[in-house]
PDB file of all heavy atoms in Angstrom:
ATOM      1  N   LEU M  62      -4.305   0.251  -9.113  1.00 93.00           N
ATOM      2  CA  LEU M  62      -5.545   0.826  -9.358  1.00 93.00           C
ATOM      3  C   LEU M  62      -5.932   0.835 -10.775  1.00 93.00           C
ATOM      4  O   LEU M  62      -5.062   0.789 -11.723  1.00 93.00           O
ATOM      5  CB  LEU M  62      -5.401   2.302  -8.939  1.00 93.00           C
ATOM      6  CG  LEU M  62      -5.200   2.660  -7.515  1.00 93.00           C
ATOM      7  CD1 LEU M  62      -5.152   4.065  -7.295  1.00 93.00           C
ATOM      8  CD2 LEU M  62      -6.217   1.903  -6.558  1.00 93.00           C
ATOM      9  N   LYS M  65      -7.856  -3.557  -7.760  1.00 97.00           N
ATOM     10  CA  LYS M  65      -7.627  -4.289  -6.514  1.00 97.00           C
ATOM     11  C   LYS M  65      -8.832  -5.108  -6.032  1.00 97.00           C
ATOM     12  O   LYS M  65      -8.727  -6.233  -5.450  1.00 97.00           O
ATOM     13  CB  LYS M  65      -7.077  -3.514  -5.450  1.00 97.00           C
ATOM     14  CG  LYS M  65      -5.553  -2.939  -5.814  1.00 97.00           C
ATOM     15  CD  LYS M  65      -4.965  -2.176  -4.666  1.00 97.00           C
ATOM     16  CE  LYS M  65      -3.573  -1.737  -5.126  1.00 97.00           C
ATOM     17  NZ  LYS M  65      -2.799  -1.010  -3.973  1.00 97.00           N
ATOM     18  N   LEU M 125      -5.459   9.417   7.643  1.00 98.00           N
ATOM     19  CA  LEU M 125      -6.287  10.298   6.879  1.00 98.00           C
ATOM     20  C   LEU M 125      -6.882   9.544   5.675  1.00 98.00           C
ATOM     21  O   LEU M 125      -6.099   9.103   4.851  1.00 98.00           O
ATOM     22  CB  LEU M 125      -5.423  11.546   6.441  1.00 98.00           C
ATOM     23  CG  LEU M 125      -4.690  12.304   7.647  1.00 98.00           C
ATOM     24  CD1 LEU M 125      -3.779  13.345   6.990  1.00 98.00           C
ATOM     25  CD2 LEU M 125      -5.768  12.848   8.586  1.00 98.00           C
ATOM     26  N   GLY M 126      -8.176   9.433   5.629  1.00 98.00           N
ATOM     27  CA  GLY M 126      -8.773   8.771   4.375  1.00 98.00           C
ATOM     28  C   GLY M 126      -9.386   7.561   4.894  1.00 98.00           C
ATOM     29  O   GLY M 126      -8.888   6.906   5.830  1.00 98.00           O
ATOM     30  N   ALA M 127     -10.466   7.107   4.159  1.00 97.00           N
ATOM     31  CA  ALA M 127     -11.205   5.907   4.456  1.00 97.00           C
ATOM     32  C   ALA M 127     -11.540   5.228   3.197  1.00 97.00           C
ATOM     33  O   ALA M 127     -12.646   4.420   3.106  1.00 97.00           O
ATOM     34  CB  ALA M 127     -12.401   6.077   5.408  1.00 97.00           C
ATOM     35  N   GLY M 128     -10.813   5.270   2.057  1.00 95.00           N
ATOM     36  CA  GLY M 128     -11.172   4.625   0.893  1.00 95.00           C
ATOM     37  C   GLY M 128     -10.397   3.398   0.821  1.00 95.00           C
ATOM     38  O   GLY M 128      -9.951   2.786   1.810  1.00 95.00           O
ATOM     39  N   GLY M 129     -10.201   2.800  -0.420  1.00 93.00           N
ATOM     40  CA  GLY M 129      -9.547   1.545  -0.504  1.00 93.00           C
ATOM     41  C   GLY M 129      -8.154   1.558  -0.107  1.00 93.00           C
ATOM     42  O   GLY M 129      -7.655   0.593   0.449  1.00 93.00           O
ATOM     43  N   ALA M 130      -7.325   2.660  -0.143  1.00 95.00           N
ATOM     44  CA  ALA M 130      -5.901   2.639   0.139  1.00 95.00           C
ATOM     45  C   ALA M 130      -5.890   2.555   1.713  1.00 95.00           C
ATOM     46  O   ALA M 130      -4.951   1.776   2.216  1.00 95.00           O
ATOM     47  CB  ALA M 130      -5.249   3.913  -0.183  1.00 95.00           C
ATOM     48  N   ALA M 131      -6.760   3.101   2.393  1.00 96.00           N
ATOM     49  CA  ALA M 131      -6.761   3.144   3.879  1.00 96.00           C
ATOM     50  C   ALA M 131      -7.149   1.711   4.378  1.00 96.00           C
ATOM     51  O   ALA M 131      -6.474   0.963   5.167  1.00 96.00           O
ATOM     52  CB  ALA M 131      -7.770   4.182   4.527  1.00 96.00           C
ATOM     53  N   ARG M 132      -8.254   1.137   3.825  1.00 95.00           N
ATOM     54  CA  ARG M 132      -8.811  -0.101   4.135  1.00 95.00           C
ATOM     55  C   ARG M 132      -7.746  -1.253   4.004  1.00 95.00           C
ATOM     56  O   ARG M 132      -7.710  -2.219   4.776  1.00 95.00           O
ATOM     57  CB  ARG M 132      -9.976  -0.380   3.183  1.00 95.00           C
ATOM     58  CG  ARG M 132     -10.839  -1.644   3.723  1.00 95.00           C
ATOM     59  CD  ARG M 132     -11.906  -1.962   2.656  1.00 95.00           C
ATOM     60  NE  ARG M 132     -12.541  -3.125   2.981  1.00 95.00           N
ATOM     61  CZ  ARG M 132     -13.603  -3.268   3.612  1.00 95.00           C
ATOM     62  NH1 ARG M 132     -14.424  -2.249   3.774  1.00 95.00           N
ATOM     63  NH2 ARG M 132     -14.210  -4.503   3.734  1.00 95.00           N
ATOM     64  N   ALA M 149      -9.660   9.327   9.988  1.00 98.00           N
ATOM     65  CA  ALA M 149     -10.422  10.661   9.879  1.00 98.00           C
ATOM     66  C   ALA M 149     -10.653  10.783   8.354  1.00 98.00           C
ATOM     67  O   ALA M 149      -9.830  10.673   7.545  1.00 98.00           O
ATOM     68  CB  ALA M 149      -9.468  11.729  10.314  1.00 98.00           C
ATOM     69  N   ASN M 150     -11.855  11.079   7.938  1.00 98.00           N
ATOM     70  CA  ASN M 150     -12.227  11.100   6.611  1.00 98.00           C
ATOM     71  C   ASN M 150     -13.084  12.256   6.364  1.00 98.00           C
ATOM     72  O   ASN M 150     -14.038  12.795   7.204  1.00 98.00           O
ATOM     73  CB  ASN M 150     -12.905   9.863   6.093  1.00 98.00           C
ATOM     74  CG  ASN M 150     -13.055   9.724   4.758  1.00 98.00           C
ATOM     75  OD1 ASN M 150     -11.967   9.892   4.040  1.00 98.00           O
ATOM     76  ND2 ASN M 150     -14.096   9.247   4.090  1.00 98.00           N
ATOM     77  N   ARG M 151     -13.036  12.891   5.038  1.00 98.00           N
ATOM     78  CA  ARG M 151     -13.912  13.987   4.754  1.00 98.00           C
ATOM     79  C   ARG M 151     -15.458  13.506   4.953  1.00 98.00           C
ATOM     80  O   ARG M 151     -16.148  14.287   5.499  1.00 98.00           O
ATOM     81  CB  ARG M 151     -13.518  14.302   3.132  1.00 98.00           C
ATOM     82  CG  ARG M 151     -14.507  15.439   2.683  1.00 98.00           C
ATOM     83  CD  ARG M 151     -14.007  15.698   1.276  1.00 98.00           C
ATOM     84  NE  ARG M 151     -14.068  14.518   0.353  1.00 98.00           N
ATOM     85  CZ  ARG M 151     -13.856  14.647  -0.867  1.00 98.00           C
ATOM     86  NH1 ARG M 151     -13.376  15.686  -1.475  1.00 98.00           N
ATOM     87  NH2 ARG M 151     -13.948  13.557  -1.704  1.00 98.00           N
ATOM     88  N   THR M 152     -15.741  12.363   4.519  1.00 98.00           N
ATOM     89  CA  THR M 152     -17.153  11.777   4.751  1.00 98.00           C
ATOM     90  C   THR M 152     -16.971  10.938   5.978  1.00 98.00           C
ATOM     91  O   THR M 152     -16.486   9.835   5.965  1.00 98.00           O
ATOM     92  CB  THR M 152     -17.569  10.885   3.547  1.00 98.00           C
ATOM     93  OG1 THR M 152     -17.372  11.637   2.372  1.00 98.00           O
ATOM     94  CG2 THR M 152     -19.031  10.570   3.497  1.00 98.00           C
ATOM     95  N   ALA M 153     -17.498  11.581   7.073  1.00 98.00           N
ATOM     96  CA  ALA M 153     -17.296  10.884   8.369  1.00 98.00           C
ATOM     97  C   ALA M 153     -17.847   9.470   8.314  1.00 98.00           C
ATOM     98  O   ALA M 153     -17.358   8.458   9.013  1.00 98.00           O
ATOM     99  CB  ALA M 153     -17.973  11.751   9.469  1.00 98.00           C
ATOM    100  N   LYS M 155     -17.866   7.056   6.230  1.00 98.00           N
ATOM    101  CA  LYS M 155     -17.086   6.073   5.841  1.00 98.00           C
ATOM    102  C   LYS M 155     -15.917   5.832   6.885  1.00 98.00           C
ATOM    103  O   LYS M 155     -15.526   4.496   6.977  1.00 98.00           O
ATOM    104  CB  LYS M 155     -16.494   6.454   4.493  1.00 98.00           C
ATOM    105  CG  LYS M 155     -17.380   6.248   3.328  1.00 98.00           C
ATOM    106  CD  LYS M 155     -16.892   6.916   1.956  1.00 98.00           C
ATOM    107  CE  LYS M 155     -15.643   6.280   1.493  1.00 98.00           C
ATOM    108  NZ  LYS M 155     -15.376   7.041   0.111  1.00 98.00           N
ATOM    109  N   ALA M 156     -15.534   6.678   7.596  1.00 98.00           N
ATOM    110  CA  ALA M 156     -14.533   6.439   8.723  1.00 98.00           C
ATOM    111  C   ALA M 156     -15.063   5.608   9.690  1.00 98.00           C
ATOM    112  O   ALA M 156     -14.508   4.689  10.334  1.00 98.00           O
ATOM    113  CB  ALA M 156     -13.952   7.824   9.215  1.00 98.00           C
ATOM    114  N   LEU M 174     -12.848  14.603   9.149  1.00 97.00           N
ATOM    115  CA  LEU M 174     -11.418  15.258   9.245  1.00 97.00           C
ATOM    116  C   LEU M 174     -11.530  16.449   9.909  1.00 97.00           C
ATOM    117  O   LEU M 174     -10.498  16.682  10.586  1.00 97.00           O
ATOM    118  CB  LEU M 174     -11.298  15.610   7.622  1.00 97.00           C
ATOM    119  CG  LEU M 174     -10.476  14.715   6.751  1.00 97.00           C
ATOM    120  CD1 LEU M 174     -10.207  15.322   5.335  1.00 97.00           C
ATOM    121  CD2 LEU M 174      -9.160  14.290   7.335  1.00 97.00           C
ATOM    122  N   ASN M 187      -1.135   9.707   5.350  1.00 98.00           N
ATOM    123  CA  ASN M 187      -2.028  10.216   4.363  1.00 98.00           C
ATOM    124  C   ASN M 187      -2.511   9.139   3.390  1.00 98.00           C
ATOM    125  O   ASN M 187      -1.683   8.746   2.540  1.00 98.00           O
ATOM    126  CB  ASN M 187      -1.471  11.388   3.637  1.00 98.00           C
ATOM    127  CG  ASN M 187      -2.578  11.998   2.644  1.00 98.00           C
ATOM    128  OD1 ASN M 187      -3.589  11.760   2.678  1.00 98.00           O
ATOM    129  ND2 ASN M 187      -1.998  12.874   1.785  1.00 98.00           N
ATOM    130  N   ALA M 188      -3.693   8.587   3.563  1.00 98.00           N
ATOM    131  CA  ALA M 188      -4.151   7.575   2.619  1.00 98.00           C
ATOM    132  C   ALA M 188      -5.293   8.097   1.828  1.00 98.00           C
ATOM    133  O   ALA M 188      -6.054   7.332   1.196  1.00 98.00           O
ATOM    134  CB  ALA M 188      -4.714   6.375   3.506  1.00 98.00           C
ATOM    135  N   THR M 189      -5.515   9.434   1.734  1.00 97.00           N
ATOM    136  CA  THR M 189      -6.478   9.932   0.928  1.00 97.00           C
ATOM    137  C   THR M 189      -5.981   9.996  -0.557  1.00 97.00           C
ATOM    138  O   THR M 189      -4.709   9.775  -0.708  1.00 97.00           O
ATOM    139  CB  THR M 189      -6.822  11.526   1.148  1.00 97.00           C
ATOM    140  OG1 THR M 189      -5.846  12.229   0.887  1.00 97.00           O
ATOM    141  CG2 THR M 189      -7.277  11.631   2.645  1.00 97.00           C
ATOM    142  N   SER M 190      -6.805  10.143  -1.493  1.00 96.00           N
ATOM    143  CA  SER M 190      -6.339  10.252  -2.951  1.00 96.00           C
ATOM    144  C   SER M 190      -5.913  11.756  -3.333  1.00 96.00           C
ATOM    145  O   SER M 190      -5.684  11.907  -4.430  1.00 96.00           O
ATOM    146  CB  SER M 190      -7.359   9.698  -3.844  1.00 96.00           C
ATOM    147  OG  SER M 190      -8.621  10.420  -3.711  1.00 96.00           O
ATOM    148  N   THR M 191      -5.864  12.612  -2.280  1.00 96.00           N
ATOM    149  CA  THR M 191      -5.531  14.012  -2.617  1.00 96.00           C
ATOM    150  C   THR M 191      -4.210  14.229  -3.316  1.00 96.00           C
ATOM    151  O   THR M 191      -4.017  14.938  -4.114  1.00 96.00           O
ATOM    152  CB  THR M 191      -5.626  14.854  -1.443  1.00 96.00           C
ATOM    153  OG1 THR M 191      -4.715  14.425  -0.410  1.00 96.00           O
ATOM    154  CG2 THR M 191      -7.041  14.981  -0.919  1.00 96.00           C
ATOM    155  N   THR M 193      -2.283  11.895  -5.172  1.00 91.00           N
ATOM    156  CA  THR M 193      -2.179  11.451  -6.583  1.00 91.00           C
ATOM    157  C   THR M 193      -3.144  12.273  -7.363  1.00 91.00           C
ATOM    158  O   THR M 193      -2.902  12.474  -8.725  1.00 91.00           O
ATOM    159  CB  THR M 193      -2.706   9.962  -6.524  1.00 91.00           C
ATOM    160  OG1 THR M 193      -3.907   9.848  -5.970  1.00 91.00           O
ATOM    161  CG2 THR M 193      -1.557   9.106  -6.077  1.00 91.00           C
ATOM    162  N   ARG M 194      -4.155  12.857  -6.907  1.00 93.00           N
ATOM    163  CA  ARG M 194      -5.037  13.732  -7.654  1.00 93.00           C
ATOM    164  C   ARG M 194      -4.658  15.258  -7.639  1.00 93.00           C
ATOM    165  O   ARG M 194      -5.352  16.014  -8.324  1.00 93.00           O
ATOM    166  CB  ARG M 194      -6.495  13.623  -7.318  1.00 93.00           C
ATOM    167  CG  ARG M 194      -7.054  12.216  -7.457  1.00 93.00           C
ATOM    168  CD  ARG M 194      -8.574  12.404  -7.381  1.00 93.00           C
ATOM    169  NE  ARG M 194      -9.220  11.079  -7.273  1.00 93.00           N
ATOM    170  CZ  ARG M 194     -10.417  10.923  -6.925  1.00 93.00           C
ATOM    171  NH1 ARG M 194     -11.178  11.871  -6.399  1.00 93.00           N
ATOM    172  NH2 ARG M 194     -10.960   9.654  -6.777  1.00 93.00           N
ATOM    173  N   GLU M 196      -5.106  17.397  -5.172  1.00 93.00           N
ATOM    174  CA  GLU M 196      -6.241  18.100  -4.614  1.00 93.00           C
ATOM    175  C   GLU M 196      -5.798  18.506  -3.194  1.00 93.00           C
ATOM    176  O   GLU M 196      -4.900  18.098  -2.605  1.00 93.00           O
ATOM    177  CB  GLU M 196      -7.477  17.235  -4.574  1.00 93.00           C
ATOM    178  CG  GLU M 196      -8.179  16.982  -5.786  1.00 93.00           C
ATOM    179  CD  GLU M 196      -9.366  16.094  -5.721  1.00 93.00           C
ATOM    180  OE1 GLU M 196      -9.843  15.874  -4.706  1.00 93.00           O
ATOM    181  OE2 GLU M 196      -9.777  15.712  -6.654  1.00 93.00           O
ATOM    182  N   ALA M 197      -6.423  19.763  -2.741  1.00 91.00           N
ATOM    183  CA  ALA M 197      -6.168  20.147  -1.468  1.00 91.00           C
ATOM    184  C   ALA M 197      -6.774  19.245  -0.519  1.00 91.00           C
ATOM    185  O   ALA M 197      -7.754  18.654  -0.573  1.00 91.00           O
ATOM    186  CB  ALA M 197      -6.687  21.620  -1.384  1.00 91.00           C
ATOM    187  N   LEU M 198      -6.050  19.144   0.749  1.00 95.00           N
ATOM    188  CA  LEU M 198      -6.490  18.340   1.767  1.00 95.00           C
ATOM    189  C   LEU M 198      -6.695  19.340   3.035  1.00 95.00           C
ATOM    190  O   LEU M 198      -5.627  19.817   3.539  1.00 95.00           O
ATOM    191  CB  LEU M 198      -5.500  17.308   2.173  1.00 95.00           C
ATOM    192  CG  LEU M 198      -5.628  16.303   3.362  1.00 95.00           C
ATOM    193  CD1 LEU M 198      -7.040  15.533   3.396  1.00 95.00           C
ATOM    194  CD2 LEU M 198      -4.601  15.430   3.521  1.00 95.00           C
ATOM    195  N   GLU M 199      -7.845  19.480   3.416  1.00 93.00           N
ATOM    196  CA  GLU M 199      -8.107  20.475   4.589  1.00 93.00           C
ATOM    197  C   GLU M 199      -8.032  19.744   5.822  1.00 93.00           C
ATOM    198  O   GLU M 199      -8.841  18.678   6.137  1.00 93.00           O
ATOM    199  CB  GLU M 199      -9.500  21.131   4.388  1.00 93.00           C
ATOM    200  CG  GLU M 199      -9.546  22.205   3.251  1.00 93.00           C
ATOM    201  CD  GLU M 199     -10.751  22.943   3.167  1.00 93.00           C
ATOM    202  OE1 GLU M 199     -11.514  22.999   4.088  1.00 93.00           O
ATOM    203  OE2 GLU M 199     -10.933  23.438   2.049  1.00 93.00           O
TER     204      GLU M 199
HETATM  205  P1  ATR S 301      -8.173   5.021  -2.882  1.00 77.86           P
HETATM  206  O1  ATR S 301      -8.413   3.697  -3.552  1.00 77.86           O
HETATM  207  O2  ATR S 301      -6.967   5.725  -3.508  1.00 77.86           O
HETATM  208  O3  ATR S 301      -8.240   5.037  -1.390  1.00 77.86           O
HETATM  209  P2  ATR S 301     -10.888   5.980  -2.921  1.00 77.86           P
HETATM  210  O4  ATR S 301     -11.368   4.518  -2.412  1.00 77.86           O
HETATM  211  O5  ATR S 301     -11.589   6.620  -3.905  1.00 77.86           O
HETATM  212  O6  ATR S 301      -9.414   5.851  -3.426  1.00 77.86           O
HETATM  213  O7  ATR S 301     -10.678   6.876  -1.734  1.00 77.86           O
HETATM  214  C1  ATR S 301     -10.392   8.140  -1.666  1.00 77.86           C
HETATM  215  C2  ATR S 301     -10.120   8.733  -0.265  1.00 77.86           C
HETATM  216  O8  ATR S 301      -9.564  10.030  -0.318  1.00 77.86           O
HETATM  217  C3  ATR S 301     -11.467   8.873   0.577  1.00 77.86           C
HETATM  218  O9  ATR S 301     -11.133   8.642   1.899  1.00 77.86           O
HETATM  219  C4  ATR S 301     -11.811  10.277   0.120  1.00 77.86           C
HETATM  220  O10 ATR S 301     -12.816  10.829   0.987  1.00 77.86           O
HETATM  221  P3  ATR S 301     -14.294  10.869   0.884  1.00 77.86           P
HETATM  222  O11 ATR S 301     -14.682   9.375   1.352  1.00 77.86           O
HETATM  223  O12 ATR S 301     -14.924  11.855   1.709  1.00 77.86           O
HETATM  224  O13 ATR S 301     -14.584  10.917  -0.675  1.00 77.86           O
HETATM  225  C5  ATR S 301     -10.465  10.997   0.292  1.00 77.86           C
HETATM  226  N1  ATR S 301     -10.580  12.114  -0.518  1.00 77.86           N
HETATM  227  C6  ATR S 301     -10.565  12.353  -1.821  1.00 77.86           C
HETATM  228  N2  ATR S 301     -10.415  13.631  -2.237  1.00 77.86           N
HETATM  229  C7  ATR S 301     -10.403  14.313  -1.044  1.00 77.86           C
HETATM  230  C8  ATR S 301     -10.266  15.756  -0.727  1.00 77.86           C
HETATM  231  N3  ATR S 301     -10.199  16.652  -1.688  1.00 77.86           N
HETATM  232  N4  ATR S 301     -10.077  16.184   0.562  1.00 77.86           N
HETATM  233  C9  ATR S 301     -10.244  15.129   1.496  1.00 77.86           C
HETATM  234  N5  ATR S 301     -10.212  13.782   1.393  1.00 77.86           N
HETATM  235  C10 ATR S 301     -10.354  13.395   0.094  1.00 77.86           C
END
Side-chain angles (χ1 to χ4, degrees):
L62 297 180
K65 292 185 182 184
L125 308 173
R132 188 185 172 106
N150 196 44
R151 181 174 59 180
T152 310
K155 280 167 67 180
L174 273 182
N187 184 12
T189 71
S190 54
T191 53
T193 49
R194 291 199 194 161
E196 288 175 10
L198 173 60
E199 284 184 27

